[in-house]
Amino acid sequence: MLHTSKIFSFSKKVTTFRHFSHMGILKTSRNSLKDGLELGNSIYAILTISRWESLNQMNYKRVSLRQVHGRLALKFLNWVIKQPPFQELKNLTYIYCITVHILVKSRMHASAKSILTRLSDMGIGPNSIFSVLMETYPLCKSNPAVFDLLIRVYLRESSVKSGLEIFRLMGIRGFNPSVYTCNMILSAMGKEDYTTAWLFFKEMLSLNVCPNVATFNILVDLLCVNGNVKKAQHLVRKMEESGCVPNLVTYNTLLKWYFKKGRYKAAVELIDHMGHKGLEADVCTYNMLIENLCKNNRSAKGYLLLKKMRKKPLFPNEVTYNTLIKGFVKEGKLRVAVYVFNEMLNFKISPNIVTYNSLIDGYCRENSFKEATELLNEMEARGLRPNEVSYGVILNGLCKLGELDLAYSLLESMRMNGIVVDRISYTMLVKGFIESRRFREGVQVLDKMTQNGIDADVVTYAVLINGFCRDGKFRTAKELMSKMYKSGVTPNKVMYSTLVYDYCNHGMVNEAMRIYKIMSFTGVDPDLFLCNTLVDSLCKSQRVEEAVEFLKHMVRIGVFPNTSTFNFIINRYVRIGNGLKAFDFFEEMVKLGQYPSSHTYGSLLKALFYGGNFEEARKFLNDIRSIPYALDAVSYNMLMAEACKSDNLQAAVFLLKDMVCNNVIPDSHTYTCLLASLCKKGKMVISILLSEKWMEKGALLPNVVTYTCLIDGLFKAGQRKTAAFYHRKMMSEGLSDDTVLLNVLMDGYSRMGNMSMVYGLFSSMKDGRLSPNLATYNILLHGYSKQGDISRCFEVYGALLRNGFVPDKRTCHALLYGICKAGMLDFASKMLKNMILKGVLPDKYTFDMIILKCSEKRQIVKAFEFLDILNVLRVSPDQDTFNIILKGIKETYGCRPSILFLNEMLEKGFIPSEKQVVRLITDMCKAGDVKGANKLKNEVKSFGMISSNAAESAMVRGLAQKGKLEEALLVLDCMLRGKIVPTTATFTTLIHSFCKKREFKEALKLKHVMEIHNVRIDVVTYNVLITGFCENGDLVEALKLYKEMKERGICPMVNTFCVVIESCCDKNYFPDGEMIINDLCERGLLSEDEVTQDMANSFIVALKKLNVLKHKKNRTCYRSS
């Protein structure tokens, strides 16, 4: 191994190379390259045979170093570092540093920086490198530039700290770095820390490094970045005063920040100041001006500046045109953007990829995808390769337009053409499919993405999971969550918040709380929005006390509730009728420093309305009128909606009047709320008249919600044709169907039993890219269940599950209704248990329906089995449930077992309905158990379950139906003497019994008793009497009763007309025929065209029509039952 002394002796000799004397090298500069090459070859020859002494004994001549010598040093270095003696780090560092000095003197700075970088990468600290460079500095008679290069190497590697260390070491050794190097350090430090940059500037000055314009430009930018634009302006003035003349870069820096801060007047003044200083604005200045105008949607003004540039003359570049094109595209002025593009081509300025991407974006915004694709081809023709941004713009546009098949094809062509398809492009497509409710294809894109080696991130999964949750498909969402965890992707705060929101939105507050607990466990801190969502959901689920506890939990974890948090709780207290608690919580809210909003005051007003305290509500309104923005149109609309939901039309009208009195203009939402309430109450005539009037005045703009309310109300009122007319009218006004409206139409036709129409609407929903929701499937299920079409029911149920919907109580009810109607009670029991195991809990109404079907089928044991399941689920049966079972027991086993069950009901605290008890008493009398009926009557009267009137009337009817008219009349007489007035139905039953026995005198006597005791004689009573007289052939008395009926304003029934007309036809006798025909025409039961001169023929035509109408009515009644 060579000793260090030999290295030093060798180093001294290679500092300035001397030419070999025996080689006869010429001294002229013309032969310097040849000299260097021969010298190199000679050294290589000596080194190859390891004759080190020859190097020491050779005669050298000093010459200045040139690049040829630097290259020779590099060759020599490459050989030396391979030798064993130089494998040690210390020796290697020395040889590298000597080489760096040689390269710097040879002006080969790039190679010198490369070696210094290699030294840094070897892990040698800046202090060590500097020490060796200093040690070898005098050997090579080097240049201080070597230290500047070392600082720049560190700055390039973002190691500002190391660069600063070298700077300070130089100062200690008496070297001053160049101002250019100092500027680089200053710029780098400014990006990291504002304060330390200024401290470094002071260090520069202390070392007598004279700052130049570039130094001050860096400081100006540094001040502006940190918001000190005024100080930057002051610094520029100081530069001007001290003789350091600012240049265009200085002024452009200030201008840039003036524009960013919106200080346009100062910018214009600065441009004028530049002109006075003899500095004309350059292309960069104008580009900034144009960019600012385009950002503020003033691209036309920017184009005028471009024209001004050309007059200067200043030549706009591609940046100028790109800025204008992008600005015009953003403003939706694509034609102008194309004009500017063509002008750019005319001036021989080559468009770049940014230019084309802006134009492609413009065409995509206008859905002109053909032109956008043509631009891609034009780009390629110009030698520009479209990038992922070019394709991404088109892809995004197609996805927004819903052209997802085209978007998918484009993505595949991108992949085939070698364009990098990243996860952003895939996520864009996934989002498009999800927003179009094409969930299956969205998942397929995710699978395709994975197959192509691109891992989905949390954003991709969030788009999918949020889409499924938003649509209520939580089962599929959970499967995707599991898949996400397996792929190593963990949810972030946004995803957790979205899940909580979606669960809350679907009323699944327990699941939302579970997600919240997982989120807290994983260390993700909740924000106020998420906490408010949970408070709101707890309140909507009628868990207001839990909401109050959660509010306290929020305070404990440092998330302080706001006005909305308190509003949710106040509003819930109002809804449950606890207005006092709402006002107490309101006071607590004010004490905690939260300012009530219009929603707060609105909720408190609701509390007063719900209690019927209109006078207090009026006073409260007067009190808060002085508070700014306490009540606005939105608040009034909210109150109006609540009043309409609770069927409180009086409150709604009061609010409408108060709005007008307080100069708050009612809007479409206000009128729609009122219409919805009227439609809900079945007041369709006034609803239609008001809607037409409001639309005519322009107060109510035609909208889908208004039409949906009207159509729904008309269907429920049985006005199918009118509902269809309003649907056609809506479509003619350019309004499109939505899922809710189609659900209303489907429900209306389903009620009529027209399932072919329902299925047609369902198909049109899917064809029209509308996504069926759970309510849609429930309507289909209920319709097919009513028809007893079990196979179609299970087809719909299967489709519901396949589409990821979770069945709810309505689904359960509809499906079980169809199964029970088909008489498959055992299967219904199994299906019910299976649904309960899957977490679908039927409500009490479903159980009541099943128990009713069991009772109708006289399977009372099965009914009690379902009652047991009801108890296991801790769902309390009520009076209706027991009434259903009581009816079933009575019809199956008779009256005695019914009385036993009745007593059991009473023991459990359930009071049977008056109707059930009355029927039981009546049936016992009909069965001949008068004694038992009388006993039951006395018991129920003593318990106060039914009135004396109803109990005694039941006895009368039962005795009459049994044929014991004398006993019935005795009970009736006792009632009248006891001043207990029997019901109309009781008198009618007795009259009917006397008519059947042809005892019309007794029947008319009872009618007279009714008149004496002011008992209302109804249409049924008259119908019974008229029918009896007609059947007895006494048409004159029948017509006399008919006329009396009309005089009292009682409208005859269809059956009444049928009996009278049939009797007339049988006798071929038509007294008062014209009167009857006129009555039929007035009622719309007969048209004037069908009336002829022949009265007999007119009566026959009328009788046929009436019989058809009567049979149709009977069929409708049978179907509804």
Side-chain angles (χ1 to χ4, degrees):
M1 179 183 283
L2 284 174
H3 298 290
T4 309
S5 59
K6 285 193 173 183
I7 296 173
F8 286 140
S9 64
F10 172 70
S11 301
K12 290 175 185 175
K13 291 187 171 98
V14 286
T15 305
T16 52
F17 289 101
R18 298 176 186 134
H19 295 279
F20 296 106
S21 57
H22 63 279
M23 294 180 70
I25 305 301
L26 294 173
K27 298 177 183 179
T28 58
S29 60
R30 193 190 311 172
N31 296 324
S32 61
L33 180 61
K34 185 179 175 184
D35 294 348
L37 289 172
E38 288 179 1
L39 180 61
N41 291 334
S42 300
I43 292 173
Y44 273 124
I46 292 169
L47 292 175
T48 304
I49 58 174
S50 302
R51 290 183 62 187
W52 309 103
E53 298 81 5
S54 300
L55 288 171
N56 290 329
Q57 294 171 5
M58 294 177 73
N59 294 319
Y60 299 95
K61 185 178 180 181
R62 288 184 177 275
V63 294
S64 60
L65 293 179
R66 306 184 186 202
Q67 284 196 1
V68 65
H69 304 123
R71 286 194 290 272
L72 180 61
L74 285 172
K75 286 182 182 180
F76 183 59
L77 176 69
N78 290 334
W79 179 85
V80 168
I81 60 174
K82 293 174 186 175
Q83 306 309 310
F86 291 97
Q87 298 301 310
E88 287 186 14
L89 186 62
K90 186 179 179 182
N91 293 339
L92 195 60
T93 307
Y94 271 82
I95 197 69
Y96 272 136
C97 287
I98 289 168
T99 308
V100 166
H101 287 303
I102 294 168
L103 291 169
V104 168
K105 292 204 74 177
S106 302
R107 299 182 183 279
M108 293 177 67
H109 295 133
S111 301
K113 280 199 280 189
S114 176
I115 293 172
L116 288 170
T117 304
R118 200 182 306 174
L119 279 168
S120 177
D121 293 342
M122 286 165 62
I124 304 169
N127 195 7
S128 301
I129 297 173
F130 183 82
S131 297
V132 177
L133 283 172
M134 278 302 301
E135 199 171 337
T136 54
Y137 187 88
L139 299 174
C140 303
K141 293 187 178 177
S142 189
N143 189 317
V146 72
F147 302 112
D148 284 272
L149 286 180
L150 181 58
I151 291 171
R152 294 183 188 192
V153 165
Y154 281 125
L155 293 177
R156 190 172 60 186
E157 294 177 352
S158 300
S159 182
V160 181
K161 189 178 178 182
S162 298
L164 195 59
E165 188 178 343
I166 300 299
F167 171 81
R168 285 168 181 159
L169 288 169
M170 286 177 71
I172 293 166
R173 294 298 186 101
F175 292 110
N176 284 341
S178 69
V179 69
Y180 305 105
T181 306
C182 290
N183 287 347
M184 291 175 72
I185 298 172
L186 185 64
S187 178
M189 290 185 76
K191 291 173 185 176
E192 291 186 357
D193 187 5
Y194 172 77
T195 309
T196 54
W198 281 98
L199 291 173
F200 176 75
F201 178 65
K202 288 179 182 178
E203 277 191 68
M204 280 176 60
L205 297 176
S206 66
L207 291 173
N208 296 319
V209 177
C210 184
N212 59 7
V213 177
T215 314
F216 287 110
N217 287 347
I218 294 166
L219 291 172
V220 167
D221 187 56
L222 193 60
L223 287 165
C224 291
V225 167
N226 286 275
N228 296 321
V229 180
K230 283 187 178 178
K231 286 185 179 180
Q233 194 174 350
H234 179 70
L235 181 60
V236 172
R237 281 201 299 271
K238 286 290 182 184
M239 285 174 70
E240 291 170 343
E241 290 169 7
S242 62
C244 184
V245 182
N247 58 14
L248 271 172
V249 176
T250 318
Y251 291 117
N252 283 346
T253 304
L254 260 183
L255 277 172
K256 180 180 74 174
W257 285 99
Y258 279 151
F259 288 134
K260 279 189 178 182
K261 296 288 183 181
R263 294 177 61 184
Y264 305 118
K265 186 179 177 182
V268 172
E269 287 174 358
L270 184 63
I271 291 169
D272 291 339
H273 179 70
M274 286 168 63
H276 293 315
K277 292 286 182 180
L279 283 171
E280 286 291 333
D282 63 355
V283 175
C284 182
T285 313
Y286 275 99
N287 283 352
M288 278 194 292
L289 282 164
I290 291 168
E291 183 187 12
N292 180 262
L293 289 166
C294 291
K295 277 183 180 177
N296 288 283
N297 297 325
R298 298 173 68 192
S299 302
K301 192 101 183 235
Y303 183 72
L304 291 176
L305 276 179
L306 181 139
K307 293 290 185 186
K308 188 177 178 181
M309 284 173 74
R310 290 205 173 275
K311 290 176 182 176
K312 287 279 183 184
L314 273 174
F315 299 104
N317 55 19
E318 69 276 4
V319 176
T320 320
Y321 279 102
N322 286 349
T323 305
L324 281 168
I325 290 167
K326 188 177 179 180
F328 282 121
V329 165
K330 191 181 79 170
E331 291 174 31
K333 299 172 181 176
L334 182 61
R335 288 185 181 178
V336 184
V338 173
Y339 175 83
V340 174
F341 173 73
N342 290 329
E343 182 183 301
M344 180 182 184
L345 296 176
N346 291 337
F347 281 107
K348 308 298 180 187
I349 298 172
S350 299
N352 57 19
I353 200 161
V354 176
T355 321
Y356 280 104
N357 285 350
S358 296
L359 285 171
I360 290 167
D361 182 37
Y363 280 117
C364 289
R365 283 172 188 234
E366 293 193 355
N367 303 327
S368 303
F369 296 102
K370 183 183 176 183
E371 288 82 355
T373 310
E374 286 173 359
L375 276 176
L376 285 177
N377 298 330
E378 188 180 322
M379 282 173 74
E380 291 176 347
R382 287 184 174 274
L384 294 169
R385 183 179 171 81
N387 59 8
E388 57 272 17
V389 176
S390 315
Y391 284 103
V393 169
I394 299 176
L395 191 70
N396 186 40
L398 289 169
C399 288
K400 283 182 178 177
L401 192 65
E403 296 289 344
L404 297 165
D405 296 324
L406 279 173
Y408 189 81
S409 302
L410 179 68
L411 189 135
E412 285 298 305
S413 66
M414 284 170 66
R415 200 168 56 81
M416 297 297 289
N417 292 333
I419 303 293
V420 177
V421 182
D422 55 10
R423 63 169 63 94
I424 294 172
S425 302
Y426 278 108
T427 303
M428 209 183 290
L429 192 57
V430 168
K431 187 181 179 184
F433 278 119
I434 293 298
E435 286 180 351
S436 297
R437 301 292 195 276
R438 294 168 67 178
F439 298 104
R440 191 178 299 171
E441 285 132 308
V443 176
Q444 286 171 358
V445 172
L446 176 70
D447 295 336
K448 188 81 174 175
M449 181 178 174
T450 309
Q451 288 170 15
N452 292 332
I454 299 169
D455 296 324
D457 61 1
V458 69
V459 177
T460 315
Y461 279 109
V463 167
L464 274 167
I465 291 166
N466 182 36
F468 279 106
C469 289
R470 195 171 55 234
D471 221 53
K473 299 175 180 179
F474 292 104
R475 185 182 298 172
T476 314
K478 285 179 180 178
E479 289 171 4
L480 280 166
M481 282 283 285
S482 178
K483 187 175 181 179
M484 183 184 81
Y485 278 116
K486 285 177 183 175
S487 65
V489 179
T490 53
N492 58 12
K493 186 175 179 177
V494 175
M495 191 173 187
Y496 278 123
S497 299
T498 306
L499 281 169
V500 168
Y501 175 80
D502 287 329
Y503 275 121
C504 289
N505 205 31
H506 284 79
M508 301 170 73
V509 67
N510 289 335
E511 281 294 319
M513 290 300 291
R514 186 180 66 82
I515 296 293
Y516 175 76
K517 286 174 184 175
I518 294 169
M519 177 181 173
S520 300
F521 182 75
T522 53
V524 179
D525 295 325
D527 56 13
L528 183 60
F529 172 78
L530 186 142
C531 290
N532 277 354
T533 303
L534 284 167
V535 170
D536 184 31
S537 189
L538 285 166
C539 289
K540 283 178 180 175
S541 303
Q542 300 182 14
R543 295 156 67 174
V544 66
E545 298 305 325
E546 289 180 53
V548 173
E549 287 301 316
F550 190 81
L551 186 143
K552 293 174 183 175
H553 161 76
M554 287 169 62
V555 176
R556 284 196 298 272
I557 63 172
V559 180
F560 294 98
N562 62 357
T563 303
S564 297
T565 322
F566 286 99
N567 283 349
F568 294 138
I569 296 171
I570 290 170
N571 194 40
R572 176 42 55 185
Y573 277 128
V574 170
R575 282 178 178 273
I576 62 176
N578 197 340
L580 191 61
K581 194 79 174 175
F583 273 94
D584 288 344
F585 213 78
F586 167 70
E587 289 174 8
E588 188 69 25
M589 172 186 178
V590 175
K591 281 180 187 175
L592 291 171
Q594 292 295 332
Y595 293 101
S597 66
S598 56
H599 289 282
T600 317
Y601 294 116
S603 295
L604 294 170
L605 275 168
K606 270 191 267 178
L608 296 170
F609 282 129
Y610 286 168
N613 303 312
F614 293 110
E615 192 57 40
E616 289 184 31
R618 190 176 283 106
K619 286 178 183 176
F620 188 70
L621 270 170
N622 289 330
D623 290 341
I624 63 174
R625 274 197 188 109
S626 58
I627 302 170
Y629 310 110
L631 282 176
D632 53 10
V634 176
S635 307
Y636 274 109
N637 286 342
M638 181 182 69
L639 288 167
M640 186 86 68
E642 290 298 329
C644 294
K645 276 181 188 176
S646 57
D647 294 334
N648 196 340
L649 269 176
Q650 186 185 357
V653 173
F654 167 76
L655 283 166
L656 185 63
K657 287 179 180 177
D658 196 74
M659 283 180 80
V660 176
C661 290
N662 288 289
N663 297 319
V664 180
I665 300 169
D667 56 14
S668 288
H669 186 74
T670 316
Y671 294 116
T672 302
C673 281
L674 274 174
L675 280 178
S677 183
L678 289 166
C679 292
K680 194 177 176 182
K681 282 186 170 289
K683 299 180 183 294
M684 294 313 302
V685 176
I686 192 168
S687 296
I688 289 168
L689 289 172
L690 284 173
S691 65
E692 295 289 342
K693 184 179 177 181
W694 290 337
M695 285 184 187
E696 187 181 336
K697 286 185 174 182
L700 175 64
L701 298 173
N703 61 82
V704 178
V705 178
T706 306
Y707 277 108
T708 302
C709 292
L710 288 170
I711 291 165
D712 187 40
L714 287 164
F715 267 121
K716 285 174 180 172
Q719 301 291 326
R720 175 184 62 82
K721 290 182 179 178
T722 314
F725 165 77
Y726 271 95
H727 182 231
R728 289 193 298 272
K729 185 183 177 186
M730 186 196 90
M731 299 294 285
S732 69
E733 288 176 354
L735 298 169
S736 301
D737 293 330
D738 61 5
T739 303
V740 177
L741 177 58
L742 286 174
N743 282 349
V744 164
L745 290 166
M746 287 171 66
D747 184 52
Y749 286 112
S750 174
R751 288 170 188 270
M752 294 166 51
N754 191 349
M755 287 309 292
S756 60
M757 189 72 177
V758 173
Y759 191 77
L761 287 165
F762 177 69
S763 301
S764 70
M765 184 185 288
K766 292 194 292 185
D767 295 342
R769 300 290 175 86
L770 287 173
S771 181
N773 55 20
L774 186 59
T776 315
Y777 287 104
N778 285 345
I779 291 164
L780 280 169
L781 266 176
H782 190 71
Y784 287 127
S785 292
K786 280 205 306 185
Q787 290 190 342
D789 194 343
I790 299 301
S791 61
R792 295 300 294 270
C793 278
F794 276 97
E795 280 179 25
V796 173
Y797 185 67
L800 180 150
L801 294 175
R802 281 195 302 276
N803 283 294
F805 290 106
V806 178
D808 64 359
K809 293 173 183 179
R810 291 183 180 84
T811 316
C812 185
H813 184 95
L815 187 62
L816 290 171
Y817 176 76
I819 296 168
C820 290
K821 190 171 182 181
M824 302 161 67
L825 294 174
D826 290 329
F827 183 60
S829 178
K830 290 177 183 176
M831 191 71 191
L832 177 68
K833 290 171 184 175
N834 183 45
M835 292 179 91
I836 291 168
L837 287 171
K838 288 183 177 177
V840 182
L841 298 177
D843 56 13
K844 189 195 75 66
Y845 302 106
T846 305
F847 278 102
D848 284 355
M849 179 269 297
I850 298 171
I851 291 168
L852 176 63
K853 294 296 177 185
C854 290
S855 299
E856 287 173 354
K857 298 285 181 182
R858 302 199 172 184
Q859 294 190 26
I860 304 302
V861 176
K862 183 69 73 177
F864 275 102
E865 284 180 13
F866 284 110
L867 188 64
D868 291 338
I869 296 171
L870 191 69
N871 290 322
V872 169
L873 293 172
R874 296 182 180 178
V875 179
S876 301
D878 62 3
Q879 183 180 331
D880 294 334
T881 313
F882 283 109
N883 283 333
I884 292 165
I885 296 174
L886 179 62
K887 183 183 177 184
I889 291 170
K890 186 187 70 172
E891 290 176 356
T892 308
Y893 300 113
C895 296
R896 285 288 173 190
S898 299
I899 292 171
L900 293 172
F901 184 72
L902 183 66
N903 290 328
E904 188 181 333
M905 283 177 68
L906 292 169
E907 285 174 11
K908 290 183 177 180
F910 290 102
I911 299 172
S913 66
E914 185 177 283
K915 191 177 180 181
Q916 286 287 359
V917 176
V918 166
R919 278 184 182 174
L920 190 54
I921 294 169
T922 306
D923 289 345
M924 288 178 78
C925 290
K926 281 169 68 177
D929 189 3
V930 179
K931 188 177 178 181
N934 196 48
K935 183 183 176 184
L936 178 62
K937 177 197 76 172
N938 293 330
E939 285 178 359
V940 295
K941 278 172 70 178
S942 65
F943 280 117
M945 284 188 282
I946 61 172
S947 63
S948 297
N949 182 351
E952 299 295 344
S953 293
M955 286 292 295
V956 173
R957 287 197 302 276
L959 289 166
Q961 288 168 8
K962 178 65 178 173
K964 296 184 177 183
L965 285 173
E966 289 182 12
E967 289 90 335
L969 286 170
L970 282 171
V971 177
L972 181 74
D973 190 49
C974 289
M975 287 177 72
L976 292 170
R977 282 202 305 271
K979 295 185 179 180
I980 300 170
V981 180
T983 60
T984 303
T986 305
F987 277 109
T988 304
T989 304
L990 282 168
I991 290 168
H992 181 63
S993 298
F994 280 120
C995 286
K996 280 173 72 177
K997 287 191 169 191
R998 300 287 191 269
E999 296 181 17
F1000 296 105
K1001 194 177 285 186
E1002 292 295 326
L1004 289 172
K1005 192 186 289 184
L1006 280 171
K1007 173 177 169 287
H1008 182 63
V1009 173
M1010 289 176 75
E1011 288 169 345
I1012 292 168
H1013 289 88
N1014 295 319
V1015 179
R1016 187 176 62 88
I1017 303 172
D1018 63 8
V1019 67
V1020 178
T1021 312
Y1022 275 110
N1023 193 49
V1024 166
L1025 283 165
I1026 290 167
T1027 303
F1029 279 113
C1030 285
E1031 286 177 354
N1032 196 44
D1034 193 348
L1035 186 59
V1036 175
E1037 191 64 35
L1039 286 169
K1040 184 181 175 182
L1041 286 165
Y1042 176 82
K1043 290 174 185 176
E1044 183 186 308
M1045 180 183 181
K1046 281 182 61 186
E1047 285 169 5
R1048 292 189 175 185
I1050 300 170
C1051 190
M1053 298 167 63
V1054 172
N1055 282 341
T1056 314
F1057 282 118
C1058 284
V1059 167
V1060 171
I1061 291 170
E1062 195 172 352
S1063 182
C1064 290
C1065 289
D1066 287 344
K1067 290 183 176 292
N1068 199 25
Y1069 177 58
F1070 307 100
D1072 299 315
E1074 287 186 9
M1075 177 187 70
I1076 294 168
I1077 292 294
N1078 288 335
D1079 289 345
L1080 287 167
C1081 290
E1082 283 177 11
R1083 290 277 301 277
L1085 298 171
L1086 190 70
S1087 67
E1088 292 181 2
D1089 296 338
E1090 292 169 319
V1091 179
T1092 62
Q1093 294 295 326
D1094 187 355
M1095 189 62 70
N1097 185 54
S1098 297
F1099 267 52
I1100 290 166
V1101 170
L1103 186 61
K1104 284 180 181 178
K1105 286 194 73 176
L1106 289 167
N1107 282 329
V1108 169
L1109 188 63
K1110 188 165 69 173
H1111 291 313
K1112 187 177 180 182
K1113 186 178 179 182
N1114 291 337
R1115 281 200 305 273
T1116 306
C1117 293
Y1118 173 74
R1119 191 179 291 124
S1120 63
S1121 64

